[in-house]
Amino acid sequence: VMLALGGFTVAAQDAPGPTVMAEGKEFMSGDRYWIPMNTETNSLALFSESVQTISIYNKTSAEMTLNKIELARAVGVMDEEFTLLNEKGKREPLDFKEAKLEASKGVYGLRVRFYPVESGERNATITITYNTDKTFSLKLAGRGRESAKFFSGGATKLHKLFGASKTDEMLSTA
């Protein structure tokens, strides 16, 4: 694609790879995405979840092949804390097969589930391999709520059994 700028002809540059978006924000390779709401100060109650959609767009002028999508959890992060899920349907683990994204408008979606089981910062990285040997990485981060109390010793038997709306207590239906 050629552009005329002030009498000069310049070749337009394609985006170097996929455009990755979540919660309305575009991320560059190597960026950090905080779950939930892309805010570092937010935290989730332990044993609760936030599920967010991540969209991978091809805004280049050539077809793009997504070869692999991999998730690597940081040391000490449990398997259930970050999970990749299919975009649609039941909450099933991501069943990725190589995908071709049409030039300028192709899109692939997936969901990421954050389910903290420990307090503090939790981290993982999604690596997208595209066009055989190129990669895009998105760092995932979330925070499990600090000082969570599982049994507060509430005054009533129902409070002890079901917890309370203003605490991080576990609720039971068993």
Side-chain angles (χ1 to χ4, degrees), residues 53-85:
T53 298
I54 295 178
S55 300
I56 305 164
Y57 295 92
N58 179 8
K59 294 184 178 180
T60 70
S61 60
E63 181 179 82
M64 180 184 298
T65 301
L66 301 181
N67 306 101
K68 288 191 288 189
I69 299 177
E70 300 171 297
L71 177 69
R73 294 167 195 89
V75 173
V77 173
M78 307 308 278
D79 288 350
E80 62 269 23
E81 291 187 277
F82 287 100
T83 310
L84 298 182
L85 305 170

Side-chain angles (χ1 to χ4, degrees), residues 98-144:
E98 189 172 276
K100 295 199 181 293
L101 302 183
E102 190 178 346
S104 302
K105 60 184 177 180
V107 64
Y108 182 87
L110 60 101
R111 293 182 293 175
V112 62
R113 176 182 184 243
F114 174 54
Y115 180 82
V117 299
E118 289 188 31
S119 295
E121 188 174 317
R122 318 304 290 153
N123 295 288
T125 302
I126 296 175
T127 302
I128 302 162
T129 303
Y130 65 97
N131 293 345
T132 307
D133 60 352
K134 296 176 178 71
T135 59
F136 180 104
S137 65
L138 180 63
K139 297 173 186 173
L140 302 175
R143 188 175 308 284

